[in-house]
Amino acid sequence: MPPRNDLPPVLRAPIPLAPVLSGATFGSAAATLPSLLDGADVRLVTSGRIAIGLALRALGVGKDDIVLVPAYHSPSMVPPAHWCGAEVMFYRVQPDTAPDLAAIAALVERHGSRVKAILATHFFGFVHDLAPLRALCDRHGIGLVEDCAHCFFGTRAGVPAGSTGDYAIGSTMKFFPMYEGGVLASRRHRLAVTLRGAGAGFELKSALNALEAAFAHGRLPVLRAALALPLYVKDRLWQALKARSTPADPATQVATPASALAPTSSDSSFDFDARWTDKRSSWFSRTVLRRASQARIVTLRRRHYLEWQAALAGAPGCRPLFDALPEGVCPWVFPLLADQPQIVAARLLAAGVPMTRFGATLWPGVDAGVCANSIALGQRLIALPCHQALTDPERAWLHATVRAVLADCAAGA
Ligand SMILES: *Cc1c(COP(=O)(O)O)cnc(C)c1O
């Protein structure tokens, strides 16, 4: 495997799993795709899960209602339904993550009018045809929420992702270099959601964390040098502030959690924090979203995805989840199915390859009896980054390293 210390300076810093600030997000390119922000009533909130909660609330989901969620999911999709007071039931998905319409119809048959809303996810950015599901929802008066957390951009057969559901939600952190952000959009209803700013501490933290993420991955070296002193001062202030604002509870001697300057959704947890349901995304995130070149992001992500496809063609012990990249897709990641996922994943992490195993953790109770396809996906899938901020040398190193790890694992080495 190529040694990291012979590499150009940018590669000695860890390779980012998600986009970080760099020129790649800005600038221009020719082709683009419809986005969640197009022609819709839109609210910019602090996470995708908050947007799910608001969408369910707008659909009138309440106590004793049922929300249907794909058995293959991010656990962050479940607590927003509980926040509304609803019960969550999981429906089967196909081996390629498409919703199993017969399974959904059977659940609706069994539970009747208690089923109030259905969440449908375009996993990894691959847009499903939701017309049949829409028709089922219309027949039964069920609300449809399109989960576009992996699909900020996309279209299929002329139908933009996010336009079929009553509401669509997005997770901006997955596509843009920012610390927090989510989108609630609707092309069918006006959004009766009023947001307010979350305060100066949050605004500052949001900007600084995005900058620090870029610095940690070797980006923006000039800015980093210029900001070294202010950031040092900030760290010291932050520590002082934390020490002051988290006194131990006198009764239990247990420190209360630090006052929530930013939502836990930004720290790779699955929690839902209701205090953020009425908060607007930060000025920094909103500015990045406005200034980013959507065309550039779409073009680069598609290019990086196709590079993975070519680089891993014929690699032993694995296959891509999808055979091809359809025209209307802007991928979140490159999903690979490995025959020996445990050892491949361990070796990739040890080598410094950023990756996630989406679906490896499912909501308690979701087992092979509920949906064997979801369990298999969760166990086998390795999601490799294809975001716009990956540099040429980073991608070349990633391709070579992943190929080497797969070959070693297949050879039993
Ligand atoms: C990440 C994710 C969410 C939630 O988005 P956050 O911005 O992390 O709250 C929802 N659905 C899916 C499929 C996701 O992967």
Side-chain angles (χ1 to χ4, degrees):
M1 168 180 330
R4 296 286 307 266
N5 48 7
D6 294 348
L7 297 168
V10 67
L11 269 190
R12 285 187 222 132
I15 300 175
L17 175 63
V20 291
L21 285 167
S22 76
T25 293
F26 307 92
S28 60
T32 190
L33 292 172
S35 103
L36 279 184
L37 304 178
D38 294 347
D41 199 4
V42 173
R43 294 292 183 280
L44 300 178
V45 292
T46 56
S47 68
R49 69 200 71 176
I50 293 289
I52 294 176
L54 294 174
L56 295 176
R57 193 172 69 180
L59 287 168
V61 171
K63 196 165 146 33
D64 297 329
D65 290 334
I66 293 172
V67 174
L68 300 185
V69 170
Y72 188 55
H73 55 255
S74 158
S76 62
M77 296 159 66
V78 177
H82 292 160
W83 172 66
C84 294
E87 184 182 341
V88 169
M89 291 191 182
F90 296 94
Y91 64 82
R92 282 201 304 270
V93 301
Q94 317 273 6
D96 70 349
T97 76
D100 182 330
L101 203 65
I104 294 174
L107 283 168
V108 170
E109 185 79 16
R110 181 153 1 117
H111 298 284
S113 61
R114 279 189 68 206
V115 178
K116 191 87 177 196
I118 300 179
L119 240 66
T121 306
H122 301 292
F123 290 101
F124 312 117
F126 287 69
V127 190
H128 297 300
D129 173 11
L130 293 182
L133 184 55
R134 177 80 247 178
L136 182 142
C137 286
D138 289 344
R139 277 198 303 280
H140 296 275
I142 297 171
L144 179 60
V145 178
E146 250 181 289
D147 178 344
C148 298
H150 300 179
C151 194
F152 198 91
F153 308 94
T155 180
R156 175 173 174 143
V159 181
S163 65
T164 307
D166 293 279
Y167 297 93
I169 72 96
S171 177
T172 30
M173 296 171 269
K174 289 178 175 130
F175 284 84
F176 298 85
M178 50 180 63
Y179 175 66
E180 54 74 36
V183 175
L184 173 65
S186 180
R187 303 204 191 210
R188 292 168 181 253
H189 310 286
R190 291 222 62 81
L191 296 173
V193 174
T194 312
L195 302 173
R196 53 195 185 82
F202 168 70
E203 296 291 342
L204 192 63
K205 182 164 181 151
S206 184
L208 290 178
N209 279 47
L211 288 172
E212 285 180 332
F215 300 159
H217 296 286
R219 269 67 172 183
L220 312 179
V222 176
L223 190 58
R224 179 189 198 166
L227 285 179
L229 184 62
L231 286 176
Y232 171 79
V233 172
K234 180 222 81 172
D235 276 344
R236 300 305 299 263
L237 277 176
W238 224 255
Q239 281 161 14
L241 206 72
K242 253 197 196 148
R244 261 189 32 204
S245 65
T246 57
D249 181 323
T252 60
Q253 292 299 305
V254 175
T256 49
S259 72
L261 267 185
T264 53
S265 45
S266 293
D267 300 323
S268 66
S269 88
F270 298 130
D271 297 350
F272 183 88
D273 186 340
R275 285 172 298 185
W276 291 88
T277 50
D278 63 347
K279 301 297 189 296
R280 187 184 304 125
S281 182
S282 66
W283 174 86
F284 185 89
S285 295
R286 286 182 285 127
T287 303
V288 169
L289 208 54
R290 196 166 55 239
R291 292 286 181 85
S293 163
Q294 302 197 350
R296 191 99 194 278
I297 295 172
V298 169
T299 303
L300 290 176
R301 282 181 174 254
R302 286 184 56 85
R303 181 187 302 162
H304 298 171
Y305 182 101
L306 291 170
E307 285 176 4
W308 273 124
Q309 193 171 275
L312 300 183
C318 68
R319 67 174 175 84
L321 174 60
F322 302 107
D323 294 334
L325 181 66
E327 252 180 38
V329 170
C330 172
W332 170 46
V333 291
F334 180 81
L336 187 73
L337 294 173
D339 295 344
Q340 303 175 270
Q342 301 288 7
I343 86 161
V344 170
R347 292 208 186 174
L348 292 178
L349 283 179
V353 174
M355 51 122 212
T356 47
R357 300 186 65 194
F358 184 85
T361 305
L362 296 173
W363 197 259
V366 178
D367 55 21
V370 176
C371 177
N373 291 333
S374 297
I375 301 302
L377 283 164
Q379 285 172 349
R380 292 188 58 199
L381 193 129
I382 289 178
L384 297 163
C386 65
H387 61 78
Q388 66 273 20
L390 295 168
T391 62
D392 293 346
E394 282 177 335
R395 298 196 315 285
W397 181 87
L398 285 172
H399 299 154
T401 304
V402 173
R403 268 200 311 259
V405 164
L406 288 166
D408 283 355
C409 290

